[in-house]
């Protein structure tokens, strides 16, 4: 019998976790498995990715995802941001690329009518809402094709098949509802007014607060609207905090206080149906504290600027001129499981397709110029060291 | 996969003896587990939990101080490993202290929610269990860096707490397992805290990424330093083991470098 079908039968017959994929089904957990009989090939791939609400997607291990607002990023992260997790984005002090991530994240929430709490070090955070992008036109306009179904048409040598398929299944069964779950945002057009007015949007300025008690209370009140319990989920919340340790904020030299805030945010979010995205410039923190912040994150990303005219890099990479910046995925959230998520590639280029839509592409090396005879040993190393080289493939 | 089959980690820790002719090998010992951002060491905690709560030893108790994840997370993870934490909690074998939201400001000795009170709670559980003849008690802290944040950075306060817990290992024969993040301290000039913890520990387990980076087949490497183990001649020596691992949902594979089939 085909191994996939065998796994399917075992899953249906043995696994109590399958029941957890149906929200609203009352009932306690089944008695524990007899571990000796559990085959080690039992996968936790979700059989049933049912979306009852357009903004939510059900994943394995009882996780529920919300979209990041960037289709490519959702794909890379295996579905999106899981509810109950903390996403941290390390900024590049020289470039505002983290704002692209924040804008798309916030717009996606507003389009799905998910309440939003936005904190920023500017005097008037509400003004930022005017810069949020609007969902783009229909999918037919786009010429890019990251369609995983096309890849199935390739004949893959048998021994490499096991490396595929980890993330593909999420999207194969969801292609028709994908346009509802994650939109492609047109960065040149502002979000229509009706998405912003009448929404539950809370804007907080953290510029003048002497300490973080007020923000902590606002977050706690906001998150109290989305308690996590076993019943079906009605709505999900989004918190976005921009440039958390920005030097213009009065509390920015209180390192332990900031850490304490993040810890409390993380703890409350664990028991809420919400996601918090916090961006911060790590160069403004001491290395030890920066590491503490990184450990607190469930999903850890970093954005870097690309210098405008770098001939070395232009020679190394194709499509260099279109790149706006680089995105690194350092950690991917894995809640309710001990298995880490290892990605094929962790560095992606941020590009604006047609100058409007944010896309993330894996880096491609340019064809080697045979006449020059230079070696790419220095820059194109495969080392995954934590110290950042110019390019980490 | 046979859950009782010894693996490299069990051998390194001396947990191989299944007939329980010897007492729990981790009794009276302090285990320090170190990890990094790139490679999480939580799976070792899960493994030790499973071993401590295994059905063969009916008199084992685990006191779990959770700063990092709520109960539901551990419940789901351990369930896949074949251990039902909910049932163990009901049977008073697993005491879960949810400290995610707790704060321990220094100088608050009279405060009933401070670290002193927390120690009091742990001591009470240990003494009660000891009197009920449940002699193998394991105290687990996940993780220590978050305890520091809860104490607002006062290193001495948390170190004192750790030392007090260590007195329980000598007085009652408990074992103490602490998880901490090594890379937080490696970048400061005088990493006093981590050095003190490494000194206190009898067993040091380090989870690190491979020097060549991350891979799907090998998730990292473990180095186990077992201080002062007694071998057959009765003389003590230190034992260092290094091997690679791959984490799966229902267990972890351990193998020597290059021998993954």
């Amino acid at each position: 019998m085909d191994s996939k079908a065998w796994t399917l039968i075992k899953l249906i017959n043995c696994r109590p976790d399958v029941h957890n994929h149906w929200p609203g089904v009352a009932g306690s957990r089944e008695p524990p498995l007899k571990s000796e009989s559990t085959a080690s090939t039992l996968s936790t791939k979700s059989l049933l990715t049912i979306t009852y609400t357009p903004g939510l997607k059900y994943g394995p291990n009882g996780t529920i995802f919300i979209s990041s607002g960037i289709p490519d990023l959702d794909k890379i992260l295996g579905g999106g941001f899981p509810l109950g997790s903390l996403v941290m984005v390390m900024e590049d002090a020289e470039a505002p690329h983290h704002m692209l991530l924040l804008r798309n994240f916030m717009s996606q929430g507003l389009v799905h009518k998910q309440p939003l709490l936005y904190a920023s070090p500017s005097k008037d955070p509400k003004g930022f809402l005017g810069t949020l992008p609007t969902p783009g036109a229909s999918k037919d306009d786009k010429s890019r094709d990251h369609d995983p179904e096309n890849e199935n048409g390739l004949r893959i040598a048998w021994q490499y098949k096991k490396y595929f398929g980890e993330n593909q299944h999420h999207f194969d069964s969801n292609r028709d509802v994908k346009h509802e779950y994650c939109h492609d945002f047109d960065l040149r057009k502002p979000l229509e007014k009706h998405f912003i007015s009448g929404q539950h949007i809370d804007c907080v300025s953290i510029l003048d607060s002497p300490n973080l008690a007020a923000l902590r209370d606002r977050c706690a009140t906001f998150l109290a609207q989305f308690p996590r319990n076993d019943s079906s989920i009605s709505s999900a919340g989004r918190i976005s905090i921009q440039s958390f340790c920005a030097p213009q904020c009065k509390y920015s030299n209180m390192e332990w206080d900031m850490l304490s805030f993040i810890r409390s945010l993380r703890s409350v979010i664990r028991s809420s149906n919400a996601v918090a995205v916090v961006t911060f410039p790590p160069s403004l923190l001491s290395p030890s504290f920066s590491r503490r912040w990184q450990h607190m994150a469930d999903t850890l990303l970093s954005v870097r600027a690309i210098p405008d005219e770098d001939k070395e890099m232009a020679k190394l990479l194709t499509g260099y001129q279109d790149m706006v910046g680089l995105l690194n995925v350092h950690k991917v959230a894995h809640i309710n499981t001990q298995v880490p998520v290892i990605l094929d590639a962790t560095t992606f280029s941020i590009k604006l397709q047609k100058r409007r839509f944010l896309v993330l592409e894996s880096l491609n090396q340019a064809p080697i110029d045979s006449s020059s005879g230079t070696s790419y040993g220095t820059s194109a190393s495969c080392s995954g060291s934590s110290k950042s080289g110019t390019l980490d493939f | 996969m046979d859950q009782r089959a010894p693996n490299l980690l069990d051998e390194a820790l001396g947990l191989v003896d299944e007939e329980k002719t010897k007492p729990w090998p981790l009794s009276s010992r302090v285990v320090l587990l170190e990890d990094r951002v790139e490679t999480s060491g939580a799976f070792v905690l899960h493994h030790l939990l499973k071993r401590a709560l295994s059905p063969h030893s009916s008199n084992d108790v685990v006191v779990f101080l959770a700063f990092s994840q709520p109960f539901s997370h551990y419940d789901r993870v351990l369930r896949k490993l074949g251990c039902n934490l909910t049932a163990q909690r009901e049977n008073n074998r697993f005491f879960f202290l949810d400290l995610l939201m707790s704060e321990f400001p220094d100088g608050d000795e009279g405060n009933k929610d401070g670290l002193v009170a927390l120690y009091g709670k742990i001591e009470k559980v240990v003494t009660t269990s000891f009197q009920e003849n449940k002699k193998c008690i394991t105290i687990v802290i996940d993780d220590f860096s978050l305890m520091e944040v809860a104490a607002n950075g006062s290193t001495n306060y948390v170190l004192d707490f750790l030392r007090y817990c260590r007195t329980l290992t000598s007085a009652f024969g408990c074992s103490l397992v602490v998880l901490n993040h090594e890379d937080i301290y490696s970048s400061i000039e005088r990493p006093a805290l981590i050095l003190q913890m490494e000194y206190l520990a009898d067993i040091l387990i380090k989870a690190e990424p491979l020097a060549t980076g991350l891979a799907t087949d090998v998730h990292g490497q473990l180095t186990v330093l077992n201080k002062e183990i007694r071998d057959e001649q009765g003389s003590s020596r230190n034992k260092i083991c290094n091997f690679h691992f791959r984490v799966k949902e229902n267990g972890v594979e351990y193998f020597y470098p290059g021998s993954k089939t």
Side-chain angles (χ1 to χ4, degrees), chain A residues 313-327:
Chain A
M313 219 180 279
K315 262 195 277 182
L316 272 178
L317 302 168
T318 52
Y320 167 74
Q321 276 74 20
D322 305 323
M323 289 186 205
V324 167
L326 292 175
L327 174 86

Side-chain angles (χ1 to χ4, degrees), chain A residues 20 29-30 32 35-36 40 44 61 163 256 263 266-267 270 288 291-292 295 336-339 386, chain B residues 3 37-38 46 68-69 73 76 80 84 99-102 148 150 181 183-184 217 248-250:
Chain A
N20 291 337
R29 296 225 159 89
E30 307 275 340
S35 62
E36 287 83 358
S40 55
T44 51
N61 299 322
Y163 295 116
W256 285 105
R263 175 182 169 245
R266 181 182 179 270
S267 302
R270 275 281 185 274
S288 159
R291 280 283 172 189
R292 283 186 191 268
H295 272 289
N336 291 339
T337 174
Q338 63 176 7
V339 182
S386 52
Chain B
Q3 70 165 354
V37 173
E38 301 87 26
H46 304 148
S68 180
Q69 308 280 7
H73 169 91
R76 286 189 97 115
K80 286 179 245 188
N84 187 346
L99 301 164
L100 264 75
M101 297 297 305
S102 306
E148 279 186 277
H181 303 303
D183 49 359
I184 293 175
D217 285 339
K248 302 192 302 204
E249 289 287 357
N250 61 345

Side-chain angles (χ1 to χ4, degrees), chain A residues 156-190:
Chain A
I156 302 168
W158 66 270
Q159 73 257 37
Y160 297 124
K161 255 203 181 123
K162 64 180 177 189
Y163 295 116
F164 283 64
E166 280 301 308
N167 285 328
Q168 281 178 8
H169 65 279
H170 281 295
F171 300 94
D172 288 350
S173 51
N174 254 356
R175 303 227 29 98
D176 45 338
V177 295
K178 191 180 171 183
H179 65 280
E180 289 181 1
Y181 173 70
C182 180
H183 294 82
D184 242 328
F185 286 94
D186 185 343
L187 293 168
R188 283 170 126 186
K189 290 194 200 140

Side-chain angles (χ1 to χ4, degrees), chain B residues 109-125:
Chain B
E109 312 307 346
N111 186 357
K112 62 178 171 58
D113 292 327
L115 274 185
V116 174
L118 178 64
Y119 173 72
K121 265 188 236 173
I122 300 172
E123 197 198 5
K124 192 156 144 234
V125 171

Side-chain angles (χ1 to χ4, degrees), chain B:
Chain B
M1 173 158 75
D2 181 12
Q3 70 165 354
R4 307 308 295 163
N7 50 39
L8 287 177
L9 179 61
D10 288 334
E11 284 174 20
L13 294 173
L15 293 174
V16 183
D17 177 40
E18 294 308 339
E19 293 81 29
K20 301 301 269 182
T21 51
K22 296 185 239 165
W24 173 241
L26 294 185
S27 285
S28 311
R29 313 195 81 196
V30 178
V31 181
L32 175 62
L33 175 55
E34 293 179 347
D35 68 359
R36 312 169 65 95
V37 173
E38 301 87 26
T39 310
S40 163
F43 67 92
V44 179
L45 270 188
H46 304 148
H47 178 88
L48 288 175
L49 259 186
K50 180 181 150 189
R51 283 276 183 259
L53 292 171
S54 66
H56 295 255
S57 50
S58 58
N59 54 359
D60 277 347
V61 164
V62 174
V63 181
F64 198 94
L65 279 69
F67 290 91
S68 180
Q69 308 280 7
F71 179 75
S72 52
H73 169 91
Y74 298 106
D75 193 23
R76 286 189 97 115
V77 172
L78 267 290
R79 193 180 287 245
K80 286 179 245 188
L81 297 176
C83 178
N84 187 346
L85 285 184
T86 321
Q88 304 284 19
R89 189 161 67 162
E90 282 159 19
N91 293 342
N92 285 335
R93 283 189 70 196
F94 182 67
F95 292 89
F96 186 83
L97 299 172
D98 187 327
L99 301 164
L100 264 75
M101 297 297 305
S102 306
E103 306 275 338
F104 304 114
D106 193 0
D108 256 3
E109 312 307 346
N111 186 357
K112 62 178 171 58
D113 292 327
L115 274 185
V116 174
L118 178 64
Y119 173 72
K121 265 188 236 173
I122 300 172
E123 197 198 5
K124 192 156 144 234
V125 171
V126 170
T127 43
T128 327
S129 307
F130 200 73
Q131 280 157 9
E132 288 168 13
N133 214 32
K134 295 180 184 172
K135 297 269 191 316
C136 303
I137 305 159
T138 312
I139 305 170
V140 184
I141 303 181
D142 178 19
D143 62 68
F144 197 77
S145 64
L146 289 174
M147 193 193 279
E148 279 186 277
V149 179
N152 224 26
S154 61
T155 313
N156 291 335
Y157 198 38
V158 289
L159 266 183
D160 283 345
F161 175 81
L162 198 63
R163 291 197 190 102
Y164 268 91
C165 287
R166 189 166 175 266
T167 63
L168 294 175
T169 64
S170 42
F172 294 97
C174 309
S175 44
L176 177 61
V177 182
V178 184
L179 170 66
N180 204 349
H181 303 303
E182 174 215 356
D183 49 359
I184 293 175
Y185 307 95
S186 53
S187 45
I188 53 183
E189 278 175 9
R190 289 167 62 235
L193 180 84
I194 195 77
L195 289 178
Q196 296 211 29
M197 290 178 75
E198 286 182 0
Y199 177 73
L200 277 178
D202 300 303
I203 301 177
L204 197 55
I205 306 178
K206 260 198 214 189
E208 289 167 309
L210 297 176
T212 44
L214 302 174
T216 38
D217 285 339
V218 181
H219 290 158
Q221 54 179 328
L222 268 188
T223 311
V224 181
L225 166 61
N226 205 331
K227 298 182 198 171
E228 290 183 41
I229 57 166
R230 312 239 147 227
D231 58 12
E232 295 80 31
Q233 285 80 32
S235 57
S236 79
R237 58 185 174 88
N238 289 358
K239 176 170 142 183
I240 295 189
C241 302
N242 175 270
F243 42 89
H244 291 181
F245 61 87
R246 180 177 173 219
V247 185
K248 302 192 302 204
E249 289 287 357
N250 61 345
V252 183
E253 283 176 11
Y254 303 97
F255 43 91
Y256 286 115
S259 66
K260 171 104 173 61
T261 46

